[in-house]
Amino acid sequence: MAASSETTITCDDFLQFQDILKSMRSIDDKIIYALNTTLPTKSFKGQVDATATCEGLYKDLTTAHSQRDQAIKSCISQVSHHVKTCKAARDRDPDDLLAIKQLRNTQAKLRLMQSELNIEEVVKDTSLKVFHEKCRNHYIPPTFSTAGL
């Protein structure tokens, strides 16, 4: 259920970057369905190990979150470096319109990628709240913070 660690994120094309993140967020998009279909109701409690199910789902969630976080931060780092390169090119020739345009485009891409970090935080918080609501009676992760829930 976790996103593939072999998914390669390209930082050059922001739309492709967003599409890959969207596919990596599938576990978060399907968390309610996954919990509803895997956790037993009162009549089926003896047939399903809810603790193991919740523990496995939590591991999948945290793996997916860390992979996405790492991918986003890696792209931000790459694009930040590209912004510095563009600034150096513009500083060498302040009248070069192509360099100015490329700098602006790269800065805009950097802002968009930084906003993905905020989006990621919201997605992560939402998924963990749903997880906590459904699994709190079955499994409490050792690093799970209940502050703000």
Side-chain angles (χ1 to χ4, degrees), residues 77-87 102 106 109:
S77 176
Q78 287 178 27
V79 175
S80 293
H81 179 35
H82 194 238
V83 166
K84 289 177 186 175
T85 305
C86 290
K87 280 183 180 180
Q102 188 173 14
T106 307
K109 187 192 313 183

